[in-house]
Amino acid sequence: MREPARPDDRSNRRRRASLGALWAATSLLALAGVPASASETLRFQVYLDRDPIGEHSFQIAPSPSGQQVLSQARFDVNILVFNAFRYRHESRELWRDGCLERIRSNTDENGKSFQVAGERVADTLSLNVNGDAQRVPGCVATFAYWDPSLLKKTRLLNPQTGELVAARLESEGWESRVMQGRTVQARRYRLRADRLDISLWYTQDGAWIGLESDTGKGRTLRYERL
C-alpha cells in the first residue's frame, strides 16, 4: 500500500508487495457457498479512508479443467485536480483442486509495469516475472480473500510481483457489519503476511463482504461489497 509519493528503492519494494497483496488479490478458486458449476461476479467499491478511488471486480466461472477467474482493478488517487496515483491490474487464472494451475497478470502501478506468467507442471509452478524465470514447488495459492480455507496456507503468492511470502490467518470471532445498507453478522479474520496486516469479513454463509488494511501511512484501504 502506499501514499501517492515517490519512495526510495527499499520502500518501493515493500509497497509493491502490499499493492500486489491488497489491490491485486486476483487468483481465485472457489467462493465459499458458490457451487463449482456456477458462475459468479463479485464487485467491490474501494476507498482510501472515506474517499472512493475505484473498483475491483472478480468473475469466477467453471472450466473443463477446474475454475477460471478474471480479476480487474482500476484505482485513481487524486489530489486537487491532479491524478497523484494510478493503478491498473488484470489477472487471468486457472485453478484445480485448490492449487494454481496457470496465471497471466499485467499491472501498471503508476507507470511501472509488471508481467507475471505461470504454469503448473507436475508439483511445481514455473513462473516468469518481468522476464525472470523461477520455480515454486508444491501447491501454490495467492491471496484468496474470497475463500478463507485457502488463506490458511503458510505461504501465499503475490500475483502482481510473483513473490512468495509467509502468511498466517487467525479468526477473531463474530461482529456486526454493515453491508449494502443493512447490518449483518460477519466473522472477522486477521491475515498477516510479510508486512501486511489485513482484516477480512465473511457472512454466515461464507460470502466475502469486506477488507480493511492500514497503508502504513496512517490511512486505511477499504473494500466494500457492491
Side-chain angles (χ1 to χ4, degrees), residues 23 43-48 51-57 72-78 85 87-88 221-224 226:
W23 289 2
R43 293 175 56 231
F44 289 85
Q45 180 73 57
V46 182
Y47 298 84
L48 188 60
D51 299 323
I53 60 173
E55 189 173 309
H56 199 160
S57 66
Q72 295 175 306
R74 296 172 61 89
F75 307 130
D76 292 283
V77 178
N78 298 314
F85 184 81
Y87 183 82
R88 301 290 185 269
L221 182 78
R222 181 163 49 92
Y223 276 42
E224 287 189 5
L226 296 173

Side-chain angles (χ1 to χ4, degrees), residues 16-136:
R16 283 202 306 269
S18 298
L19 281 169
L22 290 170
W23 289 2
T26 56
S27 60
L28 194 357
L29 167 63
L31 175 68
V34 176
S37 59
S39 296
E40 178 80 358
T41 297
L42 307 180
R43 293 175 56 231
F44 289 85
Q45 180 73 57
V46 182
Y47 298 84
L48 188 60
D49 292 334
R50 296 188 179 186
D51 299 323
I53 60 173
E55 189 173 309
H56 199 160
S57 66
F58 305 88
Q59 298 177 32
I60 313 127
S63 76
S65 57
Q67 276 188 305
Q68 55 190 6
V69 177
L70 170 62
S71 171
Q72 295 175 306
R74 296 172 61 89
F75 307 130
D76 292 283
V77 178
N78 298 314
I79 297 179
L80 299 177
V81 297
F82 301 101
N83 186 304
F85 184 81
R86 180 179 184 274
Y87 183 82
R88 301 290 185 269
H89 176 84
E90 179 175 297
S91 179
R92 297 177 184 270
E93 302 182 8
L94 178 66
W95 289 74
R96 180 188 295 168
D97 299 330
C99 302
L100 187 64
E101 287 282 307
R102 185 170 66 242
I103 180 172
R104 300 287 186 275
S105 74
N106 292 279
T107 307
D108 179 352
E109 183 191 13
N110 222 29
K112 187 173 183 61
S113 296
F114 298 87
Q115 289 84 37
V116 176
E119 198 89 24
R120 189 181 181 199
V121 180
D123 62 348
T124 299
L125 184 69
S126 295
L127 282 173
N128 188 294
V129 182
N130 282 357
D132 294 330
Q134 54 187 283
R135 296 169 66 85
V136 182

